[in-house]
Amino acid sequence: MLGVGVGSGCGAEPVEARAIWVDVFTGEGSRRIHVYDRGERYDFEVYGETAPQERVRLGPRGRGLVVRAGDYRGAWIGLDDGRRLPLLLPPSMPGAASFQYAERGDALWWLDDLDASLSLVPLAPGLGLERDVDGSMVPLREPLALSWVVSSVDAPVLFARHADGGASFLRYPDEPGDALGIVREATFSAAPLPGAPTQQRSCQSAIDCWTPVGLEPGGELAITTSDRQSWQLFERRAPELAGELALPQPLADAVAGGGLGLLQVIDPWVSVWLGAGQLFRWDRRLDIVDSVPVFAAPPLFWFTVERGRALVLLSTTGPTYQVDAEALSVVSLETTDCALAPGSAPVVSPSGRWAGWTCLDAQPAVGEPDLGATSGVVVRVSGEGLERFVGVPMSTLAIDDDGDLLLYSIESIVTDQVDGVAAASRPRSLFVLSAQGVLTRIDELEPAPTPVLLEAGEPSAYMQGVALD
């Protein structure tokens, strides 16, 4: 069972993470965004006394957030330095993102609805961006018509597919003194490229675990596939060598044996693949393929850690694996029963050493009546094994490299629906679960968080969080 410390949070381990939420609008005062920042909490006004349709989105690495009200107006708010950059964003479209963060969290970009050209606002300080007459930041532009764009995890580099079938590596400024423009660093003629770079991070079966575009974290090369039968290699510094990537025999056998999926490119030589019940690490320079069998029940989740230079693959039943440039390792093979809480997903620390998630257990305790309430299970995995904490239903926000987990309790009700358990995800209190297993309530979340729109559509999130690396 969870040991709970109740109070203001004094003595609680500060999680190296940031989390944000918007409070409920009462009509009696201004709307505010609240921030949990490594054990401290503060807030700031963004909306005044009106109640527009909110869209608030925390960026990768927690550097800042985008707030928009209405169809076009918005702002990026830096959580490191308090900068506010007014933005004129494209309108939200049903079921589609109007803008994207670069994976580094240091740029925003979108494709124009009319000519598919690229607009990008770099977010690094000291760049001297221009402002339009209305005060909004003037985006940098790439006039080529593009079909899609993928950003690298640890470099200001994009890989983009041209509407005519070609491709380019593009660089944007990220340091004071850089030229304010998007630079084409390498361009390729028409090649077999996927129609869309679906960036999924979970799958319902091992056969469905794959990405059509793997971009090396430093932006040095990309590996792509349009059919999962053959793969193309594009190198930024050697565009003349672009062409089909010859797979080593173990990976070719996996293709023939039922399917192979690329999960991640770790460095210019090492990549991670999944297929035929095996997790593969391929080192092209040494011509070595390592593999381990995957003893994990779907759904499976995989995460980019160590700034793109390692990968964590896990199942919510417990088995967890990690791959980096040097080795492929099993973190834990302990298992547990888990019905993943609706709308929740596992979180992994920046180094990949810790992972955590929450499950719902709709079964009453032995000897207790079934009153329709669920209990919650917090699962935490590290190299020391699997921990299971039973208590109230929770939802995870972030976990840091010390194993401290930031999460919040939720209201959960069992209903007689066709799909079984339905959970109302309204937050009740904010908690820290320390690496030592002590749960401390650090905030009662008053005023209560309200649902917000991450993009167009129905309200989809109460709170957002990310661990800081």
Side-chain angles (χ1 to χ4, degrees):
M1 296 292 291
L2 290 170
V4 181
V6 180
S8 63
C10 294
E13 294 289 341
V15 184
E16 290 293 312
R18 283 182 174 141
I20 62 169
W21 64 95
V22 183
D23 61 34
V24 170
F25 181 75
T26 63
E28 299 175 354
S30 60
R31 183 69 63 79
R32 290 180 174 271
I33 287 181
H34 301 265
V35 181
Y36 170 92
D37 190 347
R38 291 164 286 192
E40 302 293 330
R41 173 178 158 175
Y42 62 91
D43 53 51
F44 51 87
E45 180 180 336
V46 289
Y47 298 125
E49 297 184 359
T50 60
Q53 195 82 329
E54 302 92 356
R55 297 177 181 87
V56 180
R57 188 172 162 199
L58 183 64
R61 301 189 187 173
R63 292 179 172 182
L65 56 96
V66 169
V67 181
R68 61 184 300 166
D71 291 335
Y72 298 97
R73 291 291 175 185
W76 180 79
I77 301 173
L79 297 179
D80 289 330
D81 54 18
R83 285 180 299 136
R84 297 196 180 195
L85 304 182
L87 302 170
L88 192 62
L89 297 167
S92 295
M93 302 297 291
S98 60
F99 70 90
Q100 297 284 351
Y101 276 104
E103 291 288 336
R104 278 177 110 200
D106 63 348
L108 305 170
W109 61 265
W110 59 90
L111 298 182
D112 188 271
D113 288 337
L114 297 178
D115 60 10
S117 61
L118 172 68
S119 294
L120 183 143
V121 179
L123 302 175
L127 294 180
L129 296 175
E130 297 182 19
R131 292 180 182 258
D132 212 333
V133 292
D134 62 0
S136 62
M137 312 311 297
V138 177
L140 308 180
R141 298 189 183 277
E142 165 54 65
L144 275 175
L146 302 176
S147 298
W148 49 253
V149 175
V150 172
S151 59
S152 57
V153 176
D154 202 30
V157 175
L158 310 172
F159 184 67
R161 182 185 190 273
H162 304 169
D164 64 7
S168 289
F169 282 98
L170 308 172
R171 176 178 286 270
Y172 56 87
D174 72 332
E175 295 285 350
D178 286 353
L180 289 180
I182 299 174
V183 179
R184 297 180 204 167
E185 294 207 319
T187 298
F188 309 88
S189 58
L193 288 162
T198 307
Q199 296 296 295
Q200 64 175 14
R201 291 295 176 184
S202 65
C203 52
Q204 295 301 314
S205 72
I207 295 176
D208 298 323
C209 292
W210 65 289
T211 179
V213 181
L215 182 56
E216 192 268 335
E220 293 297 324
L221 60 84
I223 297 175
T224 73
T225 183
S226 58
D227 57 10
R228 297 187 64 184
Q229 298 297 311
S230 62
W231 280 262
Q232 306 295 315
L233 178 65
F234 301 88
E235 297 190 57
R236 179 164 62 94
R237 300 179 191 274
E240 70 280 0
L241 300 180
E244 185 170 350
L245 178 65
L247 298 180
Q249 198 60 48
L251 298 187
D253 290 343
V255 174
L260 177 71
L262 171 68
L263 296 187
Q264 188 169 323
V265 180
I266 287 178
D267 68 16
W269 298 103
V270 179
S271 51
V272 185
W273 307 70
L274 183 65
Q278 301 280 318
L279 182 64
F280 298 97
R281 171 188 167 275
W282 176 25
D283 187 324
R284 291 190 299 123
R285 177 166 48 188
L286 300 180
D287 193 25
I288 293 175
V289 178
D290 299 324
S291 67
V292 295
V294 176
F295 299 108
L300 302 176
F301 296 82
W302 69 94
F303 301 85
T304 294
V305 296
E306 292 284 11
R307 298 201 172 190
R309 291 171 173 81
L311 170 138
V312 170
L313 174 73
L314 64 82
S315 163
T316 51
T317 60
T320 303
Y321 306 81
Q322 185 164 358
V323 189
D324 59 25
E326 303 299 326
L328 188 163
S329 58
V330 177
V331 177
S332 174
L333 289 179
E334 292 187 56
T335 61
T336 183
D337 293 331
C338 178
L340 193 65
S344 66
V347 292
V348 172
S349 71
S351 69
R353 292 194 298 267
W354 295 83
W357 59 92
T358 57
C359 314
L360 290 180
D361 183 0
Q363 300 299 319
V366 176
E368 296 291 332
D370 186 356
L371 301 179
T374 64
S375 62
V377 180
V378 177
V379 177
R380 185 168 55 188
V381 173
S382 68
E384 298 178 359
L386 181 147
E387 302 170 280
R388 181 181 167 96
F389 304 90
V390 180
V392 297
M394 295 274 187
S395 185
T396 52
L397 286 167
I399 188 168
D400 66 18
D401 283 330
D402 292 325
D404 298 318
L405 182 61
L406 184 66
L407 65 172
Y408 60 90
S409 57
I410 60 174
E411 291 187 355
S412 182
I413 302 170
V414 176
T415 58
D416 294 327
Q417 295 183 358
V418 174
D419 294 332
V421 177
S425 59
R426 185 163 67 90
R428 298 171 62 187
S429 297
L430 189 64
F431 288 86
V432 168
L433 176 63
S434 73
Q436 292 72 37
V438 177
L439 184 73
T440 304
R441 185 169 65 196
I442 59 173
D443 201 295
E444 295 185 355
L445 299 178
E446 293 292 342
T450 190
V452 297
L453 301 175
L454 296 181
E455 283 299 334
E458 295 298 318
S460 57
Y462 280 93
M463 304 179 73
Q464 303 167 57
V466 62
L468 303 178
D469 57 8

